[in-house]
Amino acid sequence: PIRMVGTVADITPIKEHEAELKDLAYKDSGTDLYNRRYFLEQLLVAANNASRSDEDIAVILIDMDDFSLVNNTCGHLVGDTVIMEVAKRNKQVFSRKSDIVWRYGGDEFVVLCSQAHAMDLTIMSNQLLDLMRTSIDNAPDITQTVSIGMSTSAHLAEITATCLLHHADIAMYKSKELG
């Protein structure tokens, strides 16, 4: 005689809870974008892949200019509205399947782009600058400008995450300095 003994359990709630925990660890709750921690992990992977292939990648840093004035003069609720709108506009412009927009910090966003062609990325960055010249939904008296810095792997002898991020940071601060 053959006997079989087994136990069956539905682990769906456990898996759903694990997914919620991952979202809490890797997503920014205010914008529903992935956060800095997850970006840094993915940037390492992208840089390693790019160094083994001929495909260029790019990092675009976007900093909201003088954002502390919005929080100080209009309050944090309006500031949160402005951040959500800037996140939405970033996703609207950088919408290719190869582009991922992340919330990098308080008033900074970063875009990781595969298939990085400098001319395309420059055009998209200019589109974002134009879009930012329009007033913010739900805060019509506010127009939030941004400074943008970009770094592509095309000009690097050795492609590393640190190098890409550093060059994008330098370019963004140069952009901010030039107004």
Side-chain angles (χ1 to χ4, degrees):
I2 299 175
R3 292 186 187 159
M4 193 182 314
V5 178
T7 303
V8 176
D10 183 7
I11 62 168
T12 303
I14 295 169
K15 291 296 182 185
E16 288 172 348
H17 184 67
E18 287 175 357
E20 286 176 32
L21 290 176
K22 184 177 179 184
D23 272 356
L24 287 173
Y26 287 128
K27 279 202 170 177
D28 173 64
S29 61
T31 60
D32 202 36
L33 295 174
Y34 286 108
N35 62 22
R36 178 186 193 126
R37 177 181 181 184
Y38 193 50
F39 164 73
L40 293 172
E41 288 179 16
Q42 295 304 305
L43 179 58
L44 284 172
V45 171
N48 288 335
N49 289 342
S51 66
R52 284 179 283 193
S53 70
D54 287 336
E55 187 178 307
D56 290 329
I57 62 171
V59 170
I60 301 172
L61 272 178
I62 302 158
D63 183 68
M64 297 168 62
D65 299 325
D66 300 318
F67 178 68
S68 60
L69 291 175
V70 174
N71 274 337
N72 293 341
T73 58
C74 302
H76 290 281
L77 287 177
V78 172
D80 290 347
T81 299
V82 172
I83 285 175
M84 287 186 279
E85 182 65 23
V86 172
K88 184 176 100 179
R89 292 178 185 192
N90 278 307
K91 286 173 32 178
Q92 182 180 340
V93 171
F94 297 101
S95 60
R96 303 176 311 168
K97 287 183 180 181
S98 58
D99 304 334
I100 304 172
V101 180
W102 317 73
R103 174 97 181 265
Y104 193 62
D107 63 350
E108 287 185 320
F109 297 87
V110 64
V111 184
L112 178 60
C113 304
S114 301
Q115 303 170 6
H117 304 289
M119 185 56 76
D120 294 340
L121 298 178
T122 301
I123 290 169
M124 289 190 293
S125 294
N126 285 325
Q127 288 172 346
L128 179 63
L129 291 172
D130 290 340
L131 191 57
M132 294 309 299
R133 288 185 181 100
T134 62
S135 63
I136 301 291
D137 295 343
N138 301 324
D141 295 336
I142 298 173
T143 302
Q144 177 66 55
T145 60
V146 296
S147 295
I148 301 173
M150 181 187 346
S151 175
T152 67
S153 61
H155 67 279
L156 298 175
E158 182 181 350
I159 302 168
T160 66
T162 306
C163 224
L164 279 165
L165 199 51
H166 178 68
H167 286 284
D169 199 39
I170 290 170
M172 191 267 302
Y173 278 104
K174 186 68 174 176
S175 170
K176 192 174 279 294
E177 180 182 300
L178 295 173

